[in-house]
């Protein structure tokens, strides 16, 4: 079975530009979460979506937005990029966020974003 | 404010040793505590997880010890191998699983 997939693998953008990152969850998983991992630190929660609705939001500015599609894939959008947005962006999927062990999250390989 | 504090930042052990990584939390609403293993260039992989109703959980060479009164939990790796060299993250979540809080990570180096 395919795990969580993310695209692109790497991305280089210039300050002020916009970026869209994509995630496909494990087949059958209905929840997708997005995390930002700065080098040398643990992942920081950005968003969680379940059944196309936002279920949770972390302490990130409004420049960050996301959505989930009917096939449960998801996009993370970041506007007006800053140098500090350079990080590994991780997507995690789970079966059901309130389903006990079904809430366990499985991560994709991430998208490495570099802002110059 | 960091919800989950992890230590040490780095750890070096000899093959066969038992590295121990510790985490502490403040929010008593947390009731799910997973550990993740991350290799360079990869996403974190779920290793083992525990709930506060048990004090210990073993899966293969990995053991979680949980102290609810102290609000601490730790990961023990038995008979460590060079292939265990990776960064380990603890995390915590409330029962609704809508947000996971991660520790800052421990870089483990197991020497042959």
């Amino acid at each position: 079975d395919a795990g969580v997939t993310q695209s692109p693998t790497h991305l280089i953008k210039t300050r002020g530009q916009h970026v869209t990152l994509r995630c496909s969850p494990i087949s059958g998983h209905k929840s997708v979460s997005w995390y930002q991992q700065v080098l040398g630190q643990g992942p920081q929660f950005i968003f969680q979506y379940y059944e196309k609705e936002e279920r949770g939001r972390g302490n990130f500015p409004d420049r960050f937005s996301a959505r989930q599609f009917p096939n449960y894939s998801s996009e993370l959008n970041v506007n007006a990029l800053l140098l500090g947005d350079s990080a590994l962006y991780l997507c995690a999927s789970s079966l059901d966020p309130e389903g006990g062990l079904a809430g366990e999250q499985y991560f994709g390989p991430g998208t490495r974003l570099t802002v110059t | 404010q960091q919800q989950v504090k992890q230590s040490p930042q780095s750890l070096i052990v000899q093959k066969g040793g038992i590295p121990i990584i510790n985490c502490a939390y403040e929010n008593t609403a947390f009731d799910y505590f997973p550990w993740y293993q991350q290799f360079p260039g990869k996403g974190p992989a779920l290793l083992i997880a525990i709930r506060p109703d048990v004090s210990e959980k073993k899966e293969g060479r990995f053991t979680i010890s949980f102290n609810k009164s102290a609000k601490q939990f730790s990961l023990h790796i038995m008979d460590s191998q060079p292939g265990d060299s990776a960064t380990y993250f603890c995390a915590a979540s409330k029962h609704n699983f809508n947000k996971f809080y991660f520790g800052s990570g421990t870089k483990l180096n197991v020497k042959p």
Side-chain angles (χ1 to χ4, degrees), chain B residues 31-111:
Chain B
D31 66 356
Y32 176 71
F33 304 91
W35 284 90
Y36 286 84
Q37 178 189 57
Q38 187 175 30
F39 293 103
K42 304 289 186 181
L46 179 63
L47 205 54
I48 185 174
I50 197 169
R51 291 187 179 278
D53 52 345
V54 296
S55 60
E56 186 176 277
K57 183 175 181 180
K58 291 182 181 180
E59 284 187 7
R61 296 185 293 109
F62 301 94
T63 299
I64 299 179
S65 297
F66 188 85
N67 186 329
K68 188 174 181 178
S69 60
K71 292 185 288 185
Q72 295 176 349
F73 57 110
S74 60
L75 176 70
H76 302 232
I77 305 176
M78 306 300 176
D79 187 28
S80 59
Q81 302 295 314
D84 296 329
S85 297
T87 299
Y88 292 81
F89 293 95
C90 61
S93 175
K94 301 176 186 176
H95 70 279
N96 58 6
F97 286 92
N98 70 355
K99 185 184 291 187
F100 279 68
Y101 298 90
F102 281 79
S104 54
T106 296
K107 189 171 184 179
L108 172 66
N109 184 7
V110 181
K111 292 189 172 297

Side-chain angles (χ1 to χ4, degrees), chain B residues 4-44:
Chain B
V4 179
K5 295 182 180 180
Q6 184 173 346
S7 63
Q9 188 174 6
S10 63
L11 193 53
I12 300 174
V13 299
Q14 293 295 128
K15 176 183 175 182
I18 305 176
I20 301 172
I21 304 171
N22 301 297
C23 283
Y25 64 97
E26 288 296 325
N27 191 336
T28 55
F30 289 150
D31 66 356
Y32 176 71
F33 304 91
W35 284 90
Y36 286 84
Q37 178 189 57
Q38 187 175 30
F39 293 103
K42 304 289 186 181

Side-chain angles (χ1 to χ4, degrees), chain A residues 22-63:
Chain A
R22 295 177 175 83
C23 170
S24 291
I26 292 171
S27 178
H29 283 196
K30 299 180 178 180
S31 177
V32 168
S33 297
W34 286 96
Y35 291 82
Q36 180 195 65
Q37 186 177 24
V38 175
L39 195 63
Q41 297 182 19
Q44 296 291 315
F45 174 77
I46 308 176
F47 288 109
Q48 186 191 68
Y49 277 78
Y50 176 63
E51 291 283 13
K52 302 184 292 291
E53 292 192 359
E54 183 182 299
R55 290 285 306 280
R57 174 184 285 257
N59 295 324
F60 280 80
D62 292 342
R63 301 184 295 107

